[in-house]
Amino acid sequence: SEIGGKNLFCKEIEESLITKKIDIAVHSLKDMASVEITSLNIAAYIERNDPRDAFISFKHSSLKELKNGVMGSSSRRRDLQLKLINKGTLVKNIRGNIDTRIQKLKDGLYDGIVLALAGIKTLKLEENIKHIFTTEEMLPAVGQGIIAAQCRKDDTNISKLLKKINNEETKQCAIAERTLLKTLGGDCDTAVGGYAVIENNELILSAQLFSDDGDQDFIYKVKGKREDGVSIGILAGTELLKKAGNSFKKK
C-alpha cells in the first residue's frame, strides 16, 4: 500500500493499452481500481474461479491451533477477519508471489499464511492447504477469483472478440461487488469484503466493512434482480456507511 497498492500491478499494463502498445490487458479483477479509466473498458469477465481463501501451514492443521503463532498476510481485510476467528492471532505483513510466500513459510518466518484459493489451484499447490475458509468465515475481496480482459473503449473489433469469452453471470456479480467498493470509496487500505452470487435468478450480495481502527465490523446482505447489480451495490455500500457512521472515513 505504501507504493501504490494493488492497482500498481494494473497501472503499467493499462498505460500500454492506452498508448496502443497492446490491444488486450489481462488482470486479476481484485487488483483493479474501482474507478475505471474512462477510455478503457472491461470487455470480458472470465467465468469465476473459486473465490475462497485458504490457510496454509507446515506446523498447524487449523488456525485455532495458532495460540501465539505468526500469520503472514498482505491484506488488511484478511488480518482483521483472522482476528475475528482467533483473537490471539499475530499477523505480520508478507510480500512476494505465491511460491515466495510458501518458501518463507518453509523457512520458518511464519507459522501460517492465508492466500486466495484460485491462485493456489492455478499453480497446482493444493497439497499445502490445511483449511479452506467458507465465505461466511472469511468474506472474499471484491472480484476475488475473477480474471478481467480489458481493451480500449473505441476498439470495437477487440470488444466483439472479447465478448465471446465473457461470462454474463460472473459479470453481473462483479458489477455488484465493484459498485459496492466504489460506493464505499474503498482503496488498498480499506478492509472490505464483498461477494455476490446468483441463485434462483436473484443476485445476492454479502458485504463486510471494518472500522478504520479495525475494532468493529459491519455486515449487510441484500438481494435483488440479477441485472440490477449497480443498484444492489450502491444500496449495500450506502447501508454499510450508515452502520459504520463516524468509525469509518470514506476515502
Side-chain angles (χ1 to χ4, degrees), residues 7 14-15 21 45-46 62 97 119 133 159 174 198 211 218 231:
N7 194 47
E14 287 179 329
E15 283 170 3
K21 289 178 184 173
Y45 296 82
I46 313 305
S62 76
N97 60 29
F133 296 99
S159 292
I198 292 173
S211 58
F218 310 95
S231 56

Side-chain angles (χ1 to χ4, degrees), residues 110 142 149-150 175 204 218 238:
Y110 302 88
V142 164
Q150 186 186 37
I175 286 169
I204 304 160
F218 310 95
T238 303

Side-chain angles (χ1 to χ4, degrees), residues 44-96:
Y45 296 82
I46 313 305
E47 186 177 355
R48 189 173 216 156
N49 290 314
D50 200 314
R52 295 174 294 172
D53 288 300
F55 169 67
I56 296 175
S57 176
F58 299 111
K59 295 179 183 177
H60 306 282
S61 59
S62 76
L63 185 63
K64 291 195 169 145
E65 283 182 19
L66 265 85
K67 298 256 169 82
N68 300 303
V70 177
M71 281 291 296
S73 168
S74 60
S75 157
R76 191 157 182 269
R77 167 190 65 86
R78 287 185 186 132
D79 296 356
L80 297 174
Q81 288 172 332
L82 284 167
K83 284 168 185 172
L84 286 179
I85 297 166
N86 184 347
K87 282 185 182 178
T89 305
L90 176 64
V91 183
K92 287 192 177 178
N93 192 36
I94 187 169
R95 295 188 183 186

